[in-house]
Amino acid sequence: MSRWFNIAGPCQDDIHYMLSPTARLPNLEELIQQRSYFVVHAPWQTGKTTTMLALAKQLTESGRYAAVMVSVEVGSAFNHNIGAAELAILGTWRDRIADQLPKDLQPPVWSKEEPGRRIRGNLRAWAQASSRPLVIFIDEIDSLEDEALISVLKQLRNGYSDRPNNFPLSVGLIGLRDVRDYKVVCGSSERSNTANPFNIKVSALTLRNFNASEVAELYQQHTEDTGQVFTQQAIATAFDLTQGEPWLVNALAKEVVEKMVRDRSVAITHEHILTAKEILIARQDTHLDFLVEKLREKRVKDIIEPMLAGLALGDTPTDDRQYLIDLGLLRRDPAAGLAVANPIYREVIPRALVLGTQDSLPQINPSWLTPEGELNIDNLLQALLVFWRQHGEPLLKTTGYYEIAPHIVLMAFLHRVVNGGGTIEREYGIGSDRMDLCLRYGSTTLGIELKVWRDKKRNPQADGLEQLDSYLARSGIDFGWLFVFDRREKALPIEERLSTQIVTTKNQRHITVIRA
């Protein structure tokens, strides 16, 4: 039977390439032996469900436990009706348990408890009747909200002291976020200052990404099955672009081997992986669309916007920063503080923000192309100046990310330029006070740096020239553009301040300074 790279739902070892599902959480069995209640959290589609299903099966087959993976997601339709949520959850649990455990380990008939007591009462009855200690993994816990969530957590907490004879020996809550984000005010979107309703947890574990050798191992399974080779450079590129994020690792390979290179005698190269990356970003599959939707949230915007602008974060709540890490959008770099989780997300975020502005662009004649289809930099500059003079100011109002509005408008224009025939790469980060762009089209590579001149700040041109000179040196490029956007309150009208000047750096690189 053929196997495939999986990008939807739990892996099944008979049809999917997959790594050892429990290798990324090696200490869980020890926690279970200690009768611990714990949390496992990780970003969406990183393998949580696959891992916990495999562990439950492994624990049951050991003969020591009755272990199951259940979900409370169906209860999310009844977040303000505890009784209805409990009935929906217990109905689904009955099916899941029947699928995972032999009849002699399944629970007795669910008892008819009062609303708000059904989860605790039925788990208690099952633990008392079971010939083995119960281990329950509860998936999608953070799909519940408000009254339903609080009730489920309190019922688990109330039964905790009765384990293992009268309640499950060990319970794991599985979701996107740690339990600190479960605290809510009923009927409100704001977090509560009340006591944590699951203060019995011993540990909160994060399911890590794949490391480089695991990416190579996963891709090698395809080679062993089909004979099709991933070159070492292709594997290294896939890891670099994804930083081991499991969905992205699988999605890149799936795009390449199922659509781009179906001839198994053709090796998968670095170039194939780069092309697949562009396809994934442009297509914005469900996984990426989920992350993009989060950019609308205020606490996400308050952190992403200054990062894109290269500004310091300011006084942002610790929980908000951790929220973005838990979602998988950001990671903590030991050497550089908060950073976007991987290069693909670093492309997805600004491209997503550009879409509204891009849809607002007028028709632009591609006067920057030569008859041979190459990019003429001088013509491109003139087209940009005309565009900015006519449309720049109105388009600044098409985005909710005010601090980086000029960046977004420029990127929207440049995306119209490349339009499938080239690429735009970006570098940005907290405290850098800039965004670097690299436009590649045919044989032409153009390095671009964006700076903003703000009130009570000095003219950033000198710093921009030095930074761009360094960026061009690293990139092996001899010329570039420096944009200086004047956002000061008393800045001249756009017609008067829009100008260009060619400056030669100390390293003899030619930079066109564009003041806008």
Side-chain angles (χ1 to χ4, degrees):
M1 180 181 289
S2 298
R3 290 193 295 169
W4 314 92
F5 290 101
N6 182 32
I7 59 170
C11 287
Q12 299 178 326
D13 57 9
D14 60 331
I15 60 169
H16 295 139
Y17 302 122
M18 59 182 292
L19 303 172
S20 167
T22 56
R24 291 185 287 151
L25 284 174
N27 300 320
L28 265 186
E29 284 197 61
E30 188 173 300
L31 282 176
I32 291 164
Q33 290 169 10
Q34 296 173 8
R35 303 180 182 177
S36 299
Y37 283 27
F38 56 88
V39 174
V40 174
H41 65 96
W44 195 45
Q45 292 188 326
T46 52
K48 298 185 298 296
T49 303
T50 297
T51 296
M52 304 315 291
L53 281 170
L55 181 58
K57 185 172 184 288
Q58 180 180 311
L59 292 170
T60 299
E61 290 178 349
S62 74
R64 298 174 57 194
Y65 308 100
V68 293
M69 172 78 160
V70 293
S71 172
V72 293
E73 187 176 16
V74 294
S76 64
F78 309 99
N79 277 319
H80 299 293
N81 185 332
I82 294 171
E86 288 175 318
L87 291 175
I89 289 168
L90 288 171
T92 302
W93 284 14
R94 167 67 72 180
D95 295 339
R96 291 284 185 92
I97 293 165
D99 291 342
Q100 295 178 52
L101 292 179
K103 272 195 174 301
D104 61 308
L105 294 179
Q106 292 177 22
V109 175
W110 294 136
S111 61
K112 296 181 180 179
E113 298 279 348
E114 293 295 318
R117 293 174 48 88
R118 289 172 177 147
I119 302 295
R120 181 180 183 276
N122 281 289
L123 287 179
R124 177 181 174 84
W126 184 16
Q128 292 172 335
S130 178
S131 60
R132 300 183 193 176
L134 300 182
V135 177
I136 312 294
F137 302 137
I138 302 177
D139 200 11
E140 303 286 356
I141 185 66
D142 45 4
S143 67
L144 295 182
E145 297 176 358
D146 300 329
E147 291 98 331
L149 175 60
I150 296 297
S151 177
V152 169
L153 295 180
K154 284 186 174 180
Q155 290 181 67
L156 294 174
R157 185 180 66 186
N158 289 340
Y160 174 76
S161 59
D162 300 327
R163 73 198 195 290
N165 296 325
N166 299 305
F167 211 65
L169 172 138
S170 182
V171 171
L173 301 183
I174 321 301
L176 289 177
R177 294 162 291 168
D178 193 1
V179 72
R180 68 178 169 274
D181 255 347
Y182 300 171
K183 296 180 291 183
V184 295
V185 176
C186 293
S188 168
S189 62
E190 296 183 6
R191 282 165 296 200
S192 169
N193 292 321
T194 58
N196 188 324
F198 198 68
N199 57 5
I200 52 176
K201 74 164 187 178
V202 168
S203 184
L205 308 173
T206 300
L207 190 64
R208 64 168 175 81
N209 286 341
F210 298 153
N211 58 37
S213 62
E214 287 169 334
V215 174
E217 180 186 343
L218 185 72
Y219 287 3
Q220 178 62 25
Q221 292 179 21
H222 175 76
T223 300
E224 291 170 356
D225 280 13
T226 67
Q228 187 172 43
V229 173
F230 283 81
T231 65
Q232 289 301 310
Q233 190 181 16
I235 295 170
T237 300
F239 178 74
D240 179 61
L241 291 173
T242 65
Q243 293 298 295
E245 200 285 328
W247 187 90
L248 292 175
V249 169
N250 279 277
L252 284 176
K254 189 175 186 71
E255 186 67 28
V256 173
V257 304
E258 292 184 23
K259 297 180 180 178
M260 293 171 53
V261 192
R262 296 182 63 86
D263 184 346
R264 299 304 184 226
S265 66
V266 177
I268 306 304
T269 66
H270 161 79
E271 288 75 18
H272 290 134
I273 298 295
L274 290 179
T275 302
K277 175 207 71 168
E278 291 295 320
I279 292 171
L280 291 184
I281 293 172
R283 196 167 62 210
Q284 210 171 101
D285 287 341
T286 303
H287 174 89
L288 299 179
D289 193 46
F290 167 81
L291 295 176
V292 166
E293 186 61 30
K294 294 294 179 182
L295 298 175
R296 299 176 182 272
E297 295 183 14
K298 183 180 185 302
R299 60 174 168 165
V300 174
K301 176 187 171 184
D302 287 348
I303 293 171
I304 293 296
E305 185 171 37
M307 287 186 71
L308 287 168
L311 301 173
L313 289 183
D315 186 20
T316 53
T318 301
D319 276 359
D320 288 357
R321 297 194 298 275
Q322 188 61 44
Y323 174 64
L324 269 73
I325 294 171
D326 289 349
L327 288 175
L329 270 173
L330 303 182
R331 61 182 172 85
R332 281 201 170 92
D333 187 323
L338 278 185
V340 177
N342 57 64
I344 290 181
Y345 290 177
R346 197 164 63 224
E347 285 290 304
V348 166
I349 290 170
R351 286 202 201 184
L353 296 176
V354 163
L355 283 177
T357 303
Q358 202 168 327
D359 289 343
S360 302
L361 290 183
Q363 183 172 354
I364 306 172
N365 177 39
S367 57
W368 48 80
L369 292 179
T370 68
E372 296 74 30
E374 288 290 327
L375 195 63
N376 183 306
I377 297 296
D378 292 335
N379 288 352
L380 176 61
L381 178 58
Q382 292 306 310
L384 175 59
L385 294 175
V386 170
F387 162 80
W388 202 273
R389 187 175 290 111
Q390 294 178 351
H391 308 290
E393 293 284 355
L395 286 171
L396 293 178
K397 301 173 184 176
T398 60
T399 174
Y401 278 61
Y402 174 80
E403 290 292 341
I404 55 168
H407 308 62
I408 288 174
V409 174
L410 176 61
M411 286 189 291
F413 175 84
L414 294 176
H415 274 292
R416 183 68 62 87
V417 171
V418 297
N419 195 27
T423 61
I424 302 171
E425 301 162 10
R426 301 163 182 82
E427 289 186 17
Y428 51 85
I430 294 170
S432 66
D433 203 23
R434 72 182 196 267
M435 178 188 285
D436 297 324
L437 302 176
C438 183
L439 186 153
R440 302 182 191 276
Y441 196 105
S443 60
T444 302
T445 301
L446 176 64
I448 306 170
E449 180 147 329
L450 288 67
K451 302 284 284 186
V452 176
W453 191 355
R454 307 177 195 279
D455 281 315
K456 299 181 181 179
K457 298 289 185 180
R458 65 174 181 150
N459 188 336
Q461 179 172 318
D463 289 340
L465 288 170
E466 184 177 343
Q467 291 164 350
L468 181 55
D469 195 27
S470 175
Y471 174 74
L472 295 176
R474 295 198 312 272
S475 305
I477 308 171
D478 292 328
F479 60 91
W481 290 354
L482 169 63
F483 272 86
V484 178
F485 296 108
D486 196 338
R487 301 301 301 273
R488 295 175 301 165
E489 187 177 345
K490 295 182 179 179
L492 293 172
I494 186 68
E495 295 84 1
E496 297 180 40
R497 70 175 188 263
L498 189 62
S499 63
T500 63
Q501 174 190 7
I502 297 177
V503 176
T504 302
T505 69
K506 61 183 179 182
N507 294 318
Q508 301 305 304
R509 290 185 174 84
H510 304 297
I511 295 176
T512 300
V513 178
I514 306 163
R515 299 183 187 87

